[in-house]
Amino acid sequence: MKALIRFFYIPLAVVAAFLLCSSFLIKPKGKEKLAFPYQSQGLTDREAAMQLLSRFTFGPKPGDVDRVVKMGLEKWFQQQLEANLPDDSLNQVLSNYDAINRSNAEVAAEFPKGASVLRMAIKEGYIDKDSVNKGDKKEYREKLTAYMKMKGLKPQRELYRQFFNQKILRAAYSNNQLQEVMTDFWFNHFNVSITKNNCAQYIPAYERDVIRPNSLKHFDDLLLATAKSPAMLFYLDNFSSTGTNTNFENTHREAVRKKIEANLPPEAQKKLNLANKAQGLNENYAREVMELHTLGVDGGYTQSDVTQAARVLTGWTIYPFDEHGPGAAYKKVIDRIGEDKLAERGFVHDGDFMFAPNRHDNGEKVVLGKRFPANGGYQEGVDLLEMLAHHPSTAKFISKEIATRFVSDNPPQSLIAKMTKTFLDKDGDIKAVLITMVNAPEFWSKDALREKTKSPFELAMSAVRALNATIYQPYQLYTWIDKMGQKMYFYQAPTGFPDRGQYWINTGSLLNRMNFGLALASNRIPGVKIDLAALNNHHEPESSGAALQTYAKIIMPERDLFASMKRLTPLLNDPTLMDKVDQAASKSAPKTSQMEENKDSMMLAEASEAPNKSIGMGSKSKNKQNSFGDNTMLAQVVGVIIGSPEFQRR
């Protein structure tokens, strides 16, 4: 008996020991080794550090190149990939914005659309239905304002203002810069627009709960999360897409409808069927999820695939928040069925998302050659998105998009091929794809250095970071970014903003960029404070030429500045330059009340004065009057540097 036991357990113990040892030898998933080949491309440690900072942050702050070199380039990048550095100072400032952490339901209740407010006021008898759009418009608006105040409702512009402000503050101050850069990248890739009325109020939660948490994870998780978000469901109209479901055709309403239609002439029945089909099925999301989100325009799909995919995704809608908001009709359906019985009726409720089986096309479909059997329900939509997320065309398309953002407007095919292979081998692991990119010689090629043109947002953020600015009124920067040609969150097309330099640069935009640099450096942007003297340890340059050389090296480290110096020197001799900036600055100031401006200033000033938690220059320099720091000559020098063609490149 003992011999039998030994015979059984000894081999088992050997196998267990082998598995235990091998677990230490196998490289954990997502832990690919970082080894940057920048030296083989002729770059120094400092030049390579600058390349990392220019691509994976919103611009280096003073001393960042030294810090990255001292830490080690690979270690710094790994730390950014993990995205868990403490952000206590930033979080303290953001805590003053009470609306940015609201759930979609809370936003819908506190910041309703104007049409919803009007319906509520009419229903409660506060406003006479017959008086709408008649009589004194001013009196009518005052009534609505009074009603909102009485009910504790707030205008949507207050929500958007806080939302815009938080984006600027995160980009300027977060220690987890790569996560913020990737959040910006993916939001643009899965673009939704505030111009689309129904989806606008759900965009803050879309960025906060869908984009940012998944920005460095797996692509399929990100794709599924965007597909189920109210912002995307409304933006591309999938919330209303309906198909034929024979399982739900036995209701009394359907029986009556069929009886009526049966008595119609054949030609009328045909027209009615076509009209019902056109009204029910919406292909907008199905088309864009293939063309823009996954496969790409040349990804190998056909119009038939779009239609079939749209059928698969019918019934994907939002869970109703209240009786006034979108999807309110379904609230009555849910109340009748009972929340506890939704699942057994085939409904799927996941946060703000709902799958409604009675609106789902339960017939068989075929997409890209894959058969989806009848009655697949919610799961066939998940299976479709998983198939798209793992498709070879998707791997290539997403890899090219990432390489275009982080390498050049026309990235090498050899690099795209490496990233595509990693995407497929690593199950769409975004971190692994990024590691493959930075481990490739193509990323470090001198041809790729400073090949990207900054968008207006990137320009503004890199400028405030380079000058170590303290931002008390972020919205002032938002208006300047808009003036320079990028109205954030307002891009209407699902493509998002183009990621190519030619889109951003023209004569008008260059003038606005120069005006921005001069206004920023001369402290002419309200609520944004710069201490230029502190950047140079309060050493005063002997001349404007010396100041230009000194500050160009501080603001644009590790660059060959000879050509820039030659180009910028003549600008310093224009005696009317600052007068022009005054005019430009006054035109760019946002039209907000003094109360709003004071509120922003007070919130951020209080946060920056907290002990050991200052942001930017902190409280010591906030009120410091430094004659040299306010010197017109120095401000003009720094402004010209910020507005220079060299600073526009990253």
Side-chain angles (χ1 to χ4, degrees):
M1 185 67 180
K2 289 182 180 180
L4 288 174
I5 292 174
R6 283 198 303 271
F7 179 82
F8 178 81
Y9 282 108
I10 289 175
L12 188 63
V14 171
V15 171
F18 173 80
L19 291 174
L20 181 63
C21 292
S22 64
S23 67
F24 290 102
L25 297 174
I26 296 173
K27 185 165 56 179
K29 188 177 181 180
K31 293 290 185 180
E32 288 75 19
K33 183 180 179 182
L34 287 164
F36 299 159
Y38 59 86
Q39 291 178 334
S40 68
Q41 300 303 303
L43 300 187
T44 66
D45 291 352
R46 296 181 62 80
E47 288 173 332
M50 185 61 192
Q51 169 74 338
L52 283 179
L53 289 163
S54 69
R55 293 296 190 265
F56 301 117
T57 75
F58 282 105
K61 298 178 73 174
D64 273 357
V65 172
D66 293 331
R67 283 189 283 271
V68 172
V69 170
K70 183 177 180 180
M71 177 187 293
L73 278 64
E74 287 86 355
K75 183 177 180 181
W76 178 86
F77 190 72
Q78 183 62 52
Q79 196 176 63
Q80 287 295 310
L81 284 174
E82 293 166 0
N84 58 8
L85 291 171
D87 264 328
D88 296 341
S89 299
L90 172 63
N91 292 333
Q92 184 184 2
V93 173
L94 293 178
S95 68
N96 292 294
Y97 294 102
D98 59 347
I100 62 174
N101 293 317
R102 297 279 195 273
S103 68
N104 281 321
E106 290 169 336
V107 165
E110 189 175 357
F111 300 93
K113 294 188 301 180
S116 297
V117 174
L118 180 59
R119 284 196 297 269
M120 293 162 64
I122 291 173
K123 185 176 181 180
E124 295 182 22
Y126 196 86
I127 290 179
D128 185 357
K129 181 180 180 181
D130 296 331
S131 69
V132 176
N133 296 327
K134 296 179 181 179
D136 190 342
K137 290 186 177 181
K138 182 180 178 183
E139 181 184 357
Y140 170 70
R141 287 195 299 268
E142 288 176 349
K143 273 191 172 184
L144 271 183
T145 301
Y147 175 78
M148 291 181 68
K149 186 175 181 181
M150 178 181 71
K151 291 292 185 178
L153 306 176
K154 298 176 183 177
Q156 287 191 326
R157 66 176 178 271
E158 183 176 328
L159 170 69
Y160 301 151
R161 181 186 177 89
Q162 291 195 26
F163 180 51
F164 302 155
N165 287 352
Q166 66 85 32
K167 180 177 178 68
I168 287 170
L169 291 169
R170 287 181 186 277
Y173 294 132
S174 176
N175 291 321
N176 298 292
Q177 282 285 296
L178 175 56
Q179 184 180 49
E180 293 308 313
V181 169
M182 290 303 293
T183 298
D184 184 65
F185 169 79
W186 287 120
F187 188 100
N188 199 59
H189 180 82
F190 293 103
N191 185 53
V192 295
S193 174
I194 279 178
T195 60
K196 188 77 177 269
N197 217 2
N198 278 336
C199 82
Q201 61 189 332
Y202 308 123
I203 291 178
Y206 176 70
E207 183 183 83
R208 182 193 69 221
D209 300 334
V210 174
I211 302 295
R212 183 173 288 108
N214 291 296
S215 62
L216 288 165
K217 294 184 179 178
H218 284 75
F219 181 74
D220 58 345
D221 294 331
L222 179 57
L223 178 65
L224 181 60
T226 58
K228 294 169 69 173
S229 68
M232 185 64 75
L233 285 165
F234 278 117
Y235 178 59
L236 291 176
D237 305 306
N238 205 63
F239 80 101
S240 62
S241 188
T242 306
T244 301
N245 192 311
T246 56
N247 293 338
F248 285 83
E249 296 256 326
N250 58 354
T251 63
H252 176 69
R253 181 184 298 175
E254 288 296 327
V256 171
R257 181 181 65 79
K258 282 194 167 188
K259 186 175 181 181
I260 294 173
E261 291 180 8
N263 294 321
L264 293 173
E267 193 62 30
Q269 288 185 23
K270 184 177 180 181
K271 289 182 178 179
L272 184 61
N273 290 336
L274 289 173
N276 287 337
K277 184 177 180 181
Q279 184 180 17
L281 188 68
N282 192 300
E283 297 182 356
N284 287 354
Y285 177 70
R287 179 174 292 103
E288 305 305 354
V289 78
M290 290 184 174
E291 179 178 332
L292 300 177
H293 299 172
T294 58
L295 304 175
V297 67
D298 299 320
Y301 64 91
T302 66
Q303 175 55 41
S304 175
D305 290 319
V306 171
T307 302
Q308 296 290 298
R311 291 178 59 211
V312 169
L313 293 165
T314 49
W316 284 48
T317 187
I318 69 159
Y319 188 82
F321 303 131
D322 56 49
E323 59 184 271
H324 301 289
Y330 253 99
K331 194 170 191 315
K332 296 178 181 178
V333 175
I334 292 171
D335 290 341
R336 186 175 69 250
I337 296 174
E339 177 72 39
D340 58 331
K341 295 181 179 179
L342 286 178
E344 65 185 61
R345 294 286 295 273
F347 288 80
V348 175
H349 176 201
D350 181 11
D352 298 326
F353 168 81
M354 184 173 73
F355 171 75
N358 57 319
R359 296 171 63 173
H360 178 63
D361 186 326
N362 67 333
E364 180 181 282
K365 305 101 178 171
V366 178
V367 183
L368 297 173
K370 176 179 172 59
R371 177 175 170 269
F372 292 84
N375 299 311
Y378 163 73
Q379 187 58 42
E380 71 178 15
V382 176
D383 293 343
L384 170 68
L385 294 173
E386 285 289 341
M387 179 182 74
L388 293 175
H390 293 90
H391 196 280
S393 293
T394 299
K396 183 177 180 180
F397 180 64
I398 298 301
S399 295
K400 184 177 180 180
E401 291 264 298
I402 293 174
T404 299
R405 174 63 178 259
F406 294 105
V407 181
S408 71
D409 288 358
N410 297 290
Q413 289 300 317
S414 57
L415 176 61
I416 296 172
K418 295 172 188 176
M419 296 167 65
T420 300
K421 184 178 185 303
T422 297
F423 189 104
L424 293 170
D425 291 346
K426 298 294 182 180
D427 193 34
D429 185 341
I430 296 167
K431 288 182 183 178
V433 173
L434 290 174
I435 289 173
T436 295
M437 181 176 68
V438 294
N439 277 346
E442 293 93 333
F443 178 82
W444 304 99
S445 167
K446 289 195 174 183
D447 292 337
L449 299 184
R450 297 183 292 284
E451 273 300 298
K452 293 294 296 180
T453 298
K454 296 175 183 176
S455 68
F457 177 64
E458 291 169 333
L459 172 66
M461 294 301 96
S462 64
V464 296
R465 285 175 62 81
L467 300 183
N468 209 21
T470 298
I471 305 170
Y472 301 111
Q473 295 178 34
Y475 196 76
Q476 298 283 346
L477 287 172
Y478 180 85
T479 59
W480 268 102
I481 294 166
D482 182 12
K483 183 180 177 66
M484 289 188 285
Q486 185 180 12
K487 193 167 187 177
M488 297 183 301
Y489 301 110
F490 278 81
Y491 196 82
Q492 294 188 36
T495 55
F497 288 105
D499 193 11
R500 278 172 169 65
Q502 62 186 20
Y503 178 80
W504 299 117
I505 299 300
N506 54 60
T507 303
S509 67
L510 287 174
L511 178 61
N512 286 328
R513 287 174 179 232
M514 180 63 76
N515 285 338
F516 167 74
L518 291 162
L520 177 66
S522 57
N523 282 311
R524 282 173 168 78
I525 299 180
V528 183
K529 300 302 178 186
I530 309 292
D531 187 348
L532 296 180
L535 292 175
N536 194 34
N537 296 318
H538 298 280
H539 295 153
E540 185 172 355
E542 297 178 356
S543 64
S544 60
L548 184 61
Q549 288 194 4
T550 299
Y551 279 84
K553 290 179 181 178
I554 294 172
I555 296 168
M556 299 186 292
E558 308 309 317
R559 300 197 187 189
D560 183 356
L561 300 174
F562 177 78
S564 292
M565 297 299 99
K566 189 175 180 180
R567 187 183 297 117
L568 299 180
T569 300
L571 292 175
L572 302 179
N573 301 320
D574 183 355
T576 66
L577 197 57
M578 297 313 291
D579 291 334
K580 296 174 183 176
V581 174
D582 280 333
Q583 295 176 10
S586 63
K587 290 179 182 178
S588 295
K591 296 178 181 179
T592 55
S593 68
Q594 190 63 44
M595 183 184 301
E596 286 178 313
E597 291 182 359
N598 290 341
K599 182 180 179 182
D600 273 353
S601 297
M602 189 179 300
M603 286 195 300
L604 288 154
E606 287 174 354
S608 66
E609 288 173 351
N612 302 319
K613 291 185 178 181
S614 63
I615 272 183
M617 294 183 296
S619 59
K620 291 184 179 180
S621 57
K622 176 171 65 73
N623 296 315
K624 184 174 182 177
Q625 297 298 319
N626 186 294
S627 58
F628 181 76
D630 295 332
N631 183 277
T632 301
M633 179 274 292
L634 184 56
Q636 189 163 316
V637 166
V638 172
V640 165
I641 294 170
I642 296 296
S644 69
E646 182 65 18
F647 191 76
Q648 310 305 309
R649 298 156 69 184
R650 63 174 180 87

